Amino acid sequence: MSAFLYGVALQWKLDIRSKSLLITCYIVPLLFFAVMGGIFTSINPEAKYTLIQSMTVMGVSMGALIGLPPSLVEIYGSDIKKVYTANGVPLYLGLVSIFLSAFIHLLIMCTIIYIVAPIAFNAAPPARLPVYFGALAIFIAVSLSIGSVLGLAVKNQAKLTMISQVIFLPSIMLSGIMFPVDLLPRFFKIVGRLFPATWGYKLMVADVFYFGNLCPLVVILIAAVILCSIGLKRLQSE
């Protein structure tokens, strides 16, 4: 257990020095929050009631879908994987340590948004703090699980970047954080429900846990865990 915790702590320190993670988990999401927070509240004063959730969904999606997968490719698509195998280290350790490290970084970024938004943009904080952070933790975990599947399935960095963007952009545009989902055509509403960003946003905006919002996230998480298990077994057999 102590070796596992050491591995997670070491990965967290390495991620702090990673430029890609710094950009995708902190710089870009917080810059987007700084710019779009003022625009959203100026165009629509009612946006202050959901500003924290909207900016959080964008930041988590970017960090999980664009920031996490390349870190996994660096491990499982390089000689680091051989080092794991030669020393008898389970292959899942790299995935778990990166997952937990990214979870902590994204949680820190979301906490910054939560603290700064009411001060900078007069945003309304969530009514029930435990419910909000519980929903946030679930959303981060589900989003990271999708990023983990991408990182294990795609070995080519260029192809991975393209696929990550293809998933990230629709998930943001169709989630309801940019404009109300009711304005979308029926087809795009259905497509938007396939992404965790849509359900994570609904879950964080609500003051209670609605089963209808939580169930899709649980299903996505279970499916991602199964796919990650298959991906790790495939890597182990190579």
Side-chain angles (χ1 to χ4, degrees), residues 98-186:
I98 290 178
F99 184 99
L100 293 177
S101 174
F103 185 96
I104 295 171
H105 283 294
L106 290 176
L107 189 60
I108 292 173
M109 181 269 295
C110 294
T111 303
I112 293 173
I113 292 176
Y114 176 84
I115 295 172
V116 174
I119 300 172
F121 305 114
N122 196 30
R128 300 180 63 184
L129 197 61
V131 173
Y132 171 74
F133 276 98
L136 173 61
I138 294 171
F139 174 56
I140 293 176
V142 175
S143 299
L144 288 174
S145 69
I146 300 297
S148 299
V149 172
L150 293 176
L152 292 176
V154 185
K155 295 181 180 179
N156 184 278
Q157 285 281 9
K159 187 182 295 185
L160 177 61
T161 300
M162 181 182 66
I163 294 175
S164 298
Q165 290 285 357
V166 168
I167 296 176
F168 168 72
L169 291 176
S171 68
I172 294 301
M173 298 301 295
L174 304 179
S175 63
I177 70 170
M178 305 295 289
F179 41 78
V181 177
D182 295 335
L183 299 177
L184 295 172
R186 185 173 181 274

